[in-house]
Amino acid sequence: MSGRHEIEASEITEMVYELSLKANRILPEGIKKIIRDARDREKMPLAKQAFSDILENADLAEEKRMPICQDCGLAVVFVDVGQDLCVKGGSIEDAINEGIRRAYTEGYLRKSVVKDPLFRRENSGDNTPAVIHWKVCTGGDIRLTVSPKGMGSENMSRIYMLKPADGAEGVIKSVVETVKIAGPNPCPPIVLGIGIGGNFETVALAAKRALLKPEGVRHNIPEYADMEREILVRVNALGIGPGGYGGVTTALDAHIETLPTHIAGMPLAVNICCHALRHAEGTIEGRLSNG
Amino acid sequence: MVKHLNTPLTEEDVIELRAGDIVSLSGSILIARDAAHKRLTESISSGGKEPFPIKGEIIFYAGPAPTPPGEVIGPIGPTTSGRMDPYTPFLLERGLRGMIGKGKRNKEVLDAIKKHCAVYFGATGGTAVLLARSVISVEKVAYEDLGPEAVLRLGIKGMPLVVLADCYGGDIYVSGPEETVKLVQNNNV
C-alpha cells in the first residue's frame, strides 16, 4: 500500500527491549532441535554429556529468565525499514540503542562493550552502541532482528580474498581450515555463516546474514546446497566435537549467502557462531497517516 | 563415571586425573581473568607481596553476568583461557594447582602443568546457567576497582567439569578428536 505510514520511535525502543531479552534468554526451538538430534547421533560419552548439559542449560535459562550465556554479546540489530515509513519522536538509531540500554541494564545482561578498542578500553556501561545493519525496502513497516553475538566465536571467524580460479574446492578448503584453526575456542558445536562474493566489507555482512537462515534448510541453488552438505561432512570429519572434547558433530549447520562480485575476485567470509545462536525478530506495522 | 573431588586439591588428587575425566568439584575456587592476571603478575614480579596466597588454589577464568535478585550469582561460563597463557607458568611455579576455562593452551603452559603437577579443567562453553547453579557463595578477594574483572572467591558444590589437560601431558583437545576420527574410520571399514 502506498502513502505515508507512521510509528512512534518509542515503539521501536519497546520492541528492541523485548527482543533483546527474548533472544538472550530463549534459545530458538529450531536450534534446540538440531542440538537434540546431534546428541542422539553422538557415540562418545563425553560428547553426549556436553550436548545434554547444553540442552539442560537452555531449559534452565528460560525457566529462570536468565541469559543462556554470560557473554551477552555485542547487540547486533538488523533493520529492514520500509521507505514509506515515517518515524516520529526521535531517530531510529537512538530508539534502538535505548532499547538495548534498557534490556541490558534492567534484564541483568552482561555489558561487554568498550568505547575505545585500543588505548582506553572503558566499558560503555550499558552495552551500547548496538551494531546496526540497515536495509531499505518497499512498504511502510519496520522489521527488527536482534542477534546478540558473543566474542568467543567472533574471534575465530575469518575473511579470505580468494581468486576465481580457487573454485568451490578453494572455498570448502578455506572453511574447513577456519574451523580446524578455531578448534575448541568458539564453543563448538558451531553454526557456520559463509559469505561468498561481494567485496571486502560486504562479504562479512553476507556471512553474518547467512547465520540467520532457518536450520536445516539448504540453499535454493543446487550447487551451493551441495557445497553446504560437503562442508558439513568435511568439518565434522575433523572430530572436534562439542566443547572440543571429540565427537562426530562439530558443526550443527552451514549456510551460504552469495553476492555479485568483481571479475577479478572471489571474497569469502566465514562467520562462526557458537551453539547459542541467539536471535529474535519482530515487525511493527506503520499506521497510514491522514496527512 | 564422575570423579567427586574437594578442594584444596592435593598432589595425590591431581595424579589420579586423566584428560577426559568427568569431575564434580566442591569447595572453594577463585575467579580471575585478564586484568587481574596482569596486575597480579606485575605486582609480584616487581617485588610486591601476593595479595592473596596462590599456592594450592584453582582459578576459574570467567566474567559472570550481573546477579539477578534472589540468585547467588549470575550466569558464569568459562572465557577463552589462551589469553591468560602469558601469566600462567609464573603462577604455576608459585603453586597454583589448577585452572578452569575453555580452549587451547600454549606449549609453555602445558609443560608447566606437567612440571608442577597441576591440572587444567574445562567447563563447557554455553552452560553458564548450569554452572551458576553449583555456586553457593561469593566473596570479594582483591582488585575491587576492576569491577567485573575483580578477584572473587566462590564456594561451589558439584561444579560439572572435564579434565582438559593432565599432569602427564594428556590433552583432550588432541586425544578426543583423534579418537573420534579413528572410531569413524573403523566403522566405515
Side-chain angles (χ1 to χ4, degrees):
Chain A
M1 205 195 303
S2 63
R4 206 174 81 161
H5 292 65
E6 289 180 354
I7 60 165
E8 296 290 331
S10 59
E11 294 174 67
I12 295 173
T13 298
E14 192 58 34
M15 180 161 277
V16 168
Y17 169 78
E18 294 289 342
L19 293 176
S20 302
L21 292 180
K22 185 179 169 193
N24 270 292
R25 292 171 177 169
I26 303 172
L27 198 60
E29 184 49 41
I31 308 281
K32 276 199 228 170
K33 188 189 173 299
I34 54 175
I35 297 174
R36 274 196 296 271
D37 292 347
R39 176 195 58 193
D40 296 344
R41 271 198 307 274
E42 202 57 67
K43 289 176 187 67
M44 314 273 282
L46 194 51
K48 238 184 163 57
Q49 181 65 46
F51 278 120
S52 298
D53 287 351
I54 287 165
L55 288 164
E56 193 187 349
N57 183 77
D59 289 342
L60 205 60
E62 191 170 338
E63 182 196 318
K64 292 173 82 100
R65 297 161 63 86
M66 282 161 100
I68 297 159
C69 181
Q70 79 286 343
D71 184 352
C72 302
L74 283 169
V76 180
V77 182
F78 293 90
V79 185
D80 296 359
V81 59
Q83 60 193 16
D84 298 332
L85 185 71
C86 172
V87 176
K88 293 166 73 182
S91 81
I92 303 179
E93 190 170 335
D94 289 348
I96 290 171
N97 279 318
E98 182 56 23
I100 296 297
R101 182 175 298 121
R102 273 186 52 204
Y104 277 75
T105 44
E106 292 171 25
Y108 299 96
L109 305 177
R110 200 182 76 183
K111 295 96 185 150
S112 311
V113 176
V114 290
K115 288 188 238 174
D116 178 271
L118 193 53
F119 298 111
R120 293 173 58 84
R121 290 182 63 90
E122 188 190 332
N123 199 300
S124 72
D126 56 13
N127 220 51
T128 67
V131 176
I132 305 175
H133 301 301
W134 303 91
K135 204 187 239 179
V136 178
C137 35
T138 55
D141 303 335
I142 184 166
R143 185 174 167 74
L144 297 158
T145 304
V146 177
S147 184
K149 182 72 164 65
M151 208 64 191
S153 55
E154 201 73 353
N155 275 337
M156 306 316 291
S157 301
R158 301 183 98 196
I159 287 185
Y160 294 81
M161 300 309 280
L162 296 180
K163 295 184 283 296
D166 291 326
E169 183 56 27
V171 171
I172 296 169
K173 268 192 182 156
S174 305
V175 175
V176 174
E177 176 185 76
T178 300
V179 177
K180 192 172 181 184
I181 292 170
N185 290 20
C187 292
I190 55 175
V191 176
L192 292 163
I194 300 157
I196 309 173
N199 62 0
F200 187 75
E201 78 273 13
T202 57
V203 72
L205 185 52
K208 181 128 290 162
R209 285 192 187 275
L211 286 172
L212 296 175
K213 292 189 176 191
E215 307 78 29
V217 177
R218 297 280 63 88
H219 200 283
N220 56 7
I221 298 172
E223 290 89 340
Y224 288 116
D226 285 344
M227 280 176 71
E228 289 174 343
R229 287 189 200 97
E230 179 70 12
I231 285 167
L232 282 171
V233 167
R234 281 164 63 177
V235 160
N236 288 331
L238 295 171
I240 295 167
Y245 307 150
V248 294
T249 302
T250 301
L252 295 161
D253 212 345
H255 300 288
I256 291 174
E257 174 110 349
T258 63
L259 292 170
T261 189
H262 191 279
I263 48 174
M266 189 172 64
L268 166 70
V270 187
N271 197 192
I272 300 183
C273 190
C274 62
H275 51 85
L277 209 176
R278 296 158 280 186
H279 58 94
E281 47 275 310
T283 300
I284 309 172
E285 290 179 12
R287 294 172 292 277
L288 207 53
S289 75
N290 299 323
Chain B
M1 205 192 59
V2 180
K3 289 188 175 172
H4 295 266
L5 290 174
N6 291 297
T7 66
L9 286 193
T10 62
E11 206 167 312
E12 289 69 42
D13 292 326
V14 170
I15 59 174
E16 292 299 321
L17 295 173
R18 298 291 187 282
D21 284 353
I22 298 177
V23 169
S24 170
L25 187 67
S26 300
S28 121
I29 58 173
L30 293 171
I31 287 193
R33 55 182 293 167
D34 309 57
H37 273 77
K38 186 167 191 278
R39 196 185 287 186
L40 178 63
T41 310
E42 281 171 2
S43 102
I44 301 171
S45 304
S46 62
K49 198 170 155 281
E50 289 179 2
F52 47 89
I54 294 156
K55 198 172 164 56
E57 291 288 355
I58 295 171
I59 295 180
F60 185 9
Y61 307 133
T67 308
E71 301 288 341
V72 176
I73 198 165
I76 179 166
T79 193
T80 305
S81 310
R83 293 195 313 273
M84 270 52 79
D85 281 358
Y87 313 106
T88 302
F90 177 78
L91 296 177
L92 287 168
E93 212 168 286
R94 302 188 71 91
L96 181 70
R97 179 68 73 194
M99 298 142 286
I100 304 171
K102 64 152 176 149
K104 296 174 205 168
R105 309 306 299 262
N106 67 19
K107 192 178 177 302
E108 287 72 31
V109 172
L110 294 172
D111 287 348
I113 288 172
K114 257 170 93 169
K115 187 174 169 199
H116 302 290
C117 195
V119 59
Y120 173 36
F121 293 112
T124 303
T127 64
V129 188
L130 208 62
L131 291 162
R133 196 170 61 173
S134 64
V135 177
I136 52 175
S137 66
V138 182
E139 191 190 321
K140 287 171 184 155
V141 174
Y143 306 154
E144 275 189 56
D145 62 295
L146 292 179
E149 294 202 48
V151 178
L152 305 175
R153 180 173 293 286
L154 302 186
I156 55 167
K157 198 174 172 206
M159 184 174 267
L161 304 174
V162 172
V163 176
L164 298 177
D166 61 36
C167 63
Y168 304 97
D171 182 352
I172 192 71
Y173 292 145
V174 176
S175 58
E178 270 176 10
E179 218 177 297
T180 306
V181 170
K182 245 183 258 166
L183 194 84
V184 171
Q185 279 168 351
N186 290 344
N187 284 356
N188 286 347
V189 171

